[in-house]
Amino acid sequence: CYASERRSLAMDKYLEEAKQVALDAGNMIKSAFQRAESIVELKGSIDLVTDTDKKVEAMIIERLTKAFPETTFLAEETASSQGNLYEFKDVPTWVIDPVDGTTNFVHRFPICCVSIALAIKREVVVGVVFNPVLDEMFTASKGGGAFLNGKKLSVSRVERLEQAVVSTNVGYVRSADGIKFMLANMESLLLGNVQSMRSGGSAAWEIASVGCGRLDAFYEFGIHPWDIAAASLIVTEAGGVVCSPDGSPLEWEARRVLCGNQVIVSEVANRLKNQKLNEK
């Protein structure tokens, strides 16, 4: 019992620090969003990074290192600068996306967020997703539930595709095969009479939105652990499931995800084409 209380107190400390750091990161993002003066660079032909991404990531790493020197980091911009070569290890690891939805951010489309997760032995135990433009703070801790601005969350109970709003993103693959793959999945869902589809441009925010029930399911091919780590816990703590698009267990390095309630996930998985996509 004593050991359990100590673990609970530790989780509370991790979560509270992550929330405060996310709030401060959000202030940086919102200020830059309103000024629309960020310096924009290209990581690929259409994949953007800004000075705000870099400054926010540096601030988060500095703050969390000071608070928890025993932890390590898996962060988007650091990994991107190393050619996306990274290891997601068993040691306590903060998984960070400083600005998820950078293209939205650059175009002043209000769907962007900071995502901070703590994983221990590759299991996410704390997750925070904060959209400062909409003032939406999603939080979750392992076994502690999921919340949006303090209100407890639950995934939707939709069980039929024709009742479901499903979200996905087009990613950065622009090869003929990649486009065919993406459109084939959308076509399959539309032929299955899905009620509607969305594309928000921020996987972290969209997955968190599954957690609060405003979206019924989300899938994407080509994502990274930092896109989904925090939000994945929000979904599972809200009663949903997070898995691979074929319904098998989620693999962090496989760069693909599907989430929702168990029934609708099965419905969507039956419609998705799960052949290998060469994601760049």
Side-chain angles (χ1 to χ4, degrees), residues 161 166-170 179-194 196-199 219 221 271-273:
L161 203 55
V166 178
S167 191
T168 189
N169 289 310
V170 299
I179 293 168
K180 184 177 179 181
F181 174 88
M182 173 189 67
L183 293 177
N185 279 323
M186 297 180 72
E187 180 183 44
S188 181
L189 288 167
L190 291 166
L191 287 172
N193 204 28
V194 65
S196 192
M197 297 196 68
R198 298 288 183 268
S199 184
Y219 73 91
F221 295 82
R271 285 276 168 183
L272 294 179
K273 316 296 182 182

Side-chain angles (χ1 to χ4, degrees), residues 6 26 41 51-52 54 61 73 84 87 104 190 205 208 227 231 237 239 246:
R6 286 189 63 186
E41 302 172 19
D51 60 332
T52 302
K54 296 176 181 179
I61 291 174
F73 298 88
N84 281 334
E87 288 185 278
N104 287 347
L190 291 166
W205 182 85
D227 297 309
E237 286 296 319
D246 62 358

Side-chain angles (χ1 to χ4, degrees), residues 117-241:
L118 177 65
I120 300 176
K121 295 184 178 179
R122 292 169 57 94
E123 178 184 25
V124 179
V125 295
V126 165
V128 176
V129 174
F130 180 43
N131 180 336
V133 184
L134 300 181
D135 194 26
E136 291 186 339
M137 171 73 80
F138 295 89
T139 60
S141 59
K142 184 70 176 177
F147 301 85
L148 170 55
N149 294 342
K151 182 179 179 181
K152 191 170 176 60
L153 300 182
S154 178
V155 296
S156 82
R157 297 181 181 181
V158 164
E159 296 185 350
R160 295 164 51 217
L161 203 55
E162 54 263 42
Q163 298 173 319
V165 176
V166 178
S167 191
T168 189
N169 289 310
V170 299
Y172 300 109
V173 176
R174 294 295 182 270
S175 65
D177 286 345
I179 293 168
K180 184 177 179 181
F181 174 88
M182 173 189 67
L183 293 177
N185 279 323
M186 297 180 72
E187 180 183 44
S188 181
L189 288 167
L190 291 166
L191 287 172
N193 204 28
V194 65
Q195 186 175 82
S196 192
M197 297 196 68
R198 298 288 183 268
S199 184
S202 168
W205 182 85
E206 288 163 280
I207 295 171
S209 291
V210 171
C212 74
R214 64 164 68 115
L215 292 173
D216 300 299
F218 173 84
Y219 73 91
E220 187 171 346
F221 295 82
I223 43 77
H224 293 280
W226 49 79
D227 297 309
I228 65 174
S232 69
L233 183 64
I234 291 162
V235 169
T236 56
E237 286 296 319
V241 296

